Amino acid sequence: MNRNPRYDILFEPVRIGPVEAPNRFYQTPHALGTGNAMPHTRAAMREVRAEGGWGVVNTGYCSIHPSSDDTPLPYCRLWDDKDVKVHALMVDAVHKHGALAGVELWHGGSGVGNHMTREAPLSASGVARHSTYPGWMSLQNPRSMDSKDIRELRHWYVEAARRAQSAGFDVVYIYAGMGYGPYEFLLPWLNKRTDEYGGSLENRVRLLRETLEAAKDAIGRTCAVAVRFSSDELLEVPGRDHPSQAHEIVALLAEIPDLWDVKSSDWTVETASARFSEQAAQEPLNSFVKPLTSKPVVGVGRFTSPDEMVRQVRSGILDFIGAARPSIADPFLPKKIDEGREDEIRECIGCNICVSAYHDGVPVRCTQNPTMGEEWRRGWHPERIPAGDPAKRVLVVGAGPAGLECARALGQRGFKVTLAEARDELGGRVTLESALPGLATWARVRDYRTHAIQTMANVDVYRESMLTAQDVLDLGCDHAVIATGASWSRKVLGTRGFPTDELEGDAVYTPDDILNGTVVDSPVVIYDFDHYYMGSCLAELLRRQGHEVVIVTPANAVSAWTFMNNERTYIRERMIELGIEVELECLVTDLVNGGLQLTSIYRGGDAATRECGSLVVTGARHPNDQLLRELTADVNRTTNAGIVSVHGIGDCRAPGAIVHAVHAGHECARTIEDGAHRPVAWERASI
Ligand code: ADP
Ligand code: SF4
């Protein structure tokens, strides 16, 4: 198919100083969870984006010196010449597809703990940041930089820029955002210096200006030197000749960098989930830049709609469509637009599982794209998959995320697939959960797959087909895949911290009851020891329906796990906004005569009774594995029916997040002939 001419503008080349990007699709620097320790994994994860049409592909934050050490988080580094080789691997992989390769040179300043290198963190004026945030703070305060430190910092940037050039990078960033290094010098509340690097705005900008100029002198003939700048905090500080100090800084440095990459100073804002932000939500933070500079501007905004991308360019907001998450969910997004296949885009759902993987210190994974992180070690490609035997028939039972992904990928492999679903609607849990407040985008998990399946003549879908084990045997197939999901349980936590007994009572419900429309009485108590989104989403739903709602949880925060996907603060704010009461660090131990008994998780803590019209236990899920167990109980029975293998995938095997179900469905489809035990390549440090 041909590209829609409406989108031609997205495919115009754009000059960035001495280099030229082939189009406007720009994978901005984003952490990948690989660091330098996994160079092959990293190269393959970046390469696939270049292959998919992203014109510029960047590394994540890349430390220039041991005084910028983010251990245990997996950051990259260019500390000395020995670090060059691992980057060259990625650069070559990206260049193979005609894209530019960029590196984000980073000094963390006081924003790092230096846990591994044990160097005192450097800062403009010794102000300890994060001191209200125990999860991030270090026990050692940063030290103030003297003039020798400043000279050295500039020198480290230049040395790292030279190494980046020798690795083959085309674009070299100076990172001046998110509280790091040179950015701290810009902020009057962190920069209290009285020398030529503090005080007036011209002085506070000096370090960044000198660093950019020094980098340009060193490598600017062949490499573009870009700046990454956080605008939001300084947009709130009134300027002298412009509306804000953010404007002033851009005006002062306007033509020095070859590219402006503008973003929030707060990672939870930059990566706000779809539950709490819309596409293009960063516009107020970056739209002021273009009128102040002739250099190209890039910004992010979870862009998945090509029409919105065109609007960003045509209305003079951005020159490049920056993306981290949309490029993770669909590395081939640009190619699909280029080939007139927009309806095949696997749109990011904004769930931030990718963010949580980085916090976990593992290669980024994605709910929508099960191949993310598996490109090198398993050899998975997001668009290509080895052909299977078209004569072989596979029956998939259950059309939730696991069954849908399995059926889609099996169909792509060419098998003859039958997908049977008990309900009249496909999608399983994502169909139900996408009706919760803020989760509408989650339906994209279903829609991408049902759209693909509809185009496949070799995949038949049967709705309202609740299959028994006998049905499976009678239908006949070579392989049976069971993807029958999981159900929430009424079990509550015992004192040893795992679910024990179900709470009995007419007014005890599970999330399944609420999702399926059960009407409950106020006050509603949501007992949440799942710690992810479900408890707070149900609270919001029921509160908006007019109920009095309280969340009780043994954790010390509502939806405590969502610290990992950057949602926790937003969730707490939403609870406050809606007047949802929160009772932390409590166990629900009994329900008698409409009264709920709560016990502190601490020895010697208080016990209390509270009024409860309905209790929604949001804790454990148990697998719906009866069909799987029946079919695997007697191998002779299935063998006699001609079934070579039976596979359980997704929640019916091990209840988890949607990302697990999609991955399990994909893995099963790739390995159906020989089981899911293909060798995986592990990266090893070479000594
Ligand atoms: P997962 O996340 O593992 O994909 P879901 O709970 O989202 O699990 O989806 C499971 C799907 O399986 C649901 O749509 C459910 O209706 C369907 N299902 C469960 N049991 C059967 C069965 N015996 N026959 C057909 N469909 C079933
Ligand atoms: Fe988007 Fe979720 Fe994938 Fe991250 S994990 S890229 S937010 S779909």
Side-chain angles (χ1 to χ4, degrees), residues 397-403 420-423 427-430 465-468 483-486 627 649-652 661:
V397 186
E421 164 56 46
R423 299 175 80 114
R429 64 184 288 189
V430 289
S465 302
M466 179 76 167
L467 300 194
T468 62
T484 45
L627 182 60
I649 58 167
D651 291 327
C652 80

Side-chain angles (χ1 to χ4, degrees), residues 75-255:
Y75 61 102
C76 333
R77 56 174 217 232
L78 259 173
W79 286 354
D80 56 33
D81 290 346
K82 290 196 181 119
D83 283 333
V84 170
K85 216 164 115 192
V86 295
H87 287 280
L89 202 66
M90 171 203 141
V91 171
D92 292 346
V94 166
H95 281 168
K96 244 192 276 171
H97 304 279
L100 299 180
V103 58
E104 185 185 38
L105 295 187
W106 162 76
H107 194 287
S110 72
V112 289
N114 289 349
H115 299 295
M116 201 259 290
T117 61
R118 302 186 68 169
E119 298 206 14
L122 298 176
S123 68
S125 305
V127 180
R129 296 169 56 232
H130 301 323
S131 50
T132 56
Y133 202 3
W136 285 93
M137 62 182 266
S138 162
L139 295 178
Q140 185 176 32
N141 276 3
R143 70 176 175 85
S144 299
M145 293 167 75
D146 59 24
S147 52
K148 177 168 164 280
D149 293 321
I150 289 179
R151 272 198 311 281
E152 280 182 352
L153 181 65
R154 273 198 316 264
H155 175 70
W156 298 334
Y157 272 113
V158 168
E159 289 299 294
R162 287 212 173 94
R163 282 180 214 117
Q165 185 183 40
S166 71
F169 284 108
D170 310 285
V171 181
V172 175
Y173 271 73
I174 304 298
Y175 192 2
M178 251 188 193
Y180 292 133
Y183 179 68
E184 286 175 24
F185 278 71
L186 303 177
L187 304 178
W189 50 94
L190 293 184
N191 183 348
K192 305 281 183 199
R193 302 179 73 90
T194 52
D195 62 4
E196 70 271 32
Y197 292 96
S200 70
L201 193 61
E202 285 75 7
N203 280 359
R204 282 184 275 130
V205 162
R206 191 180 308 277
L207 174 63
L208 180 56
R209 175 195 289 279
E210 288 176 352
T211 307
L212 286 166
E213 285 171 347
K216 281 191 81 166
D217 282 349
I219 60 162
R221 224 168 40 78
T222 60
C223 297
V225 174
V227 68
R228 198 164 211 209
F229 170 65
S230 290
S231 60
D232 45 0
E233 293 176 290
L234 288 154
L235 278 168
E236 289 171 9
V237 185
R240 195 179 49 203
D241 305 321
H242 292 277
S244 78
Q245 291 203 354
H247 291 75
E248 305 270 2
I249 289 168
V250 176
L252 279 169
L253 300 177
E255 303 301 313

Side-chain angles (χ1 to χ4, degrees), residues 325 328-329 348-354 365-368:
R325 289 171 293 176
I328 293 170
C348 167
I349 68 167
C351 63
N352 283 3
I353 281 293
C354 47
R365 58 200 51 179
C366 173
T367 298
Q368 273 285 55

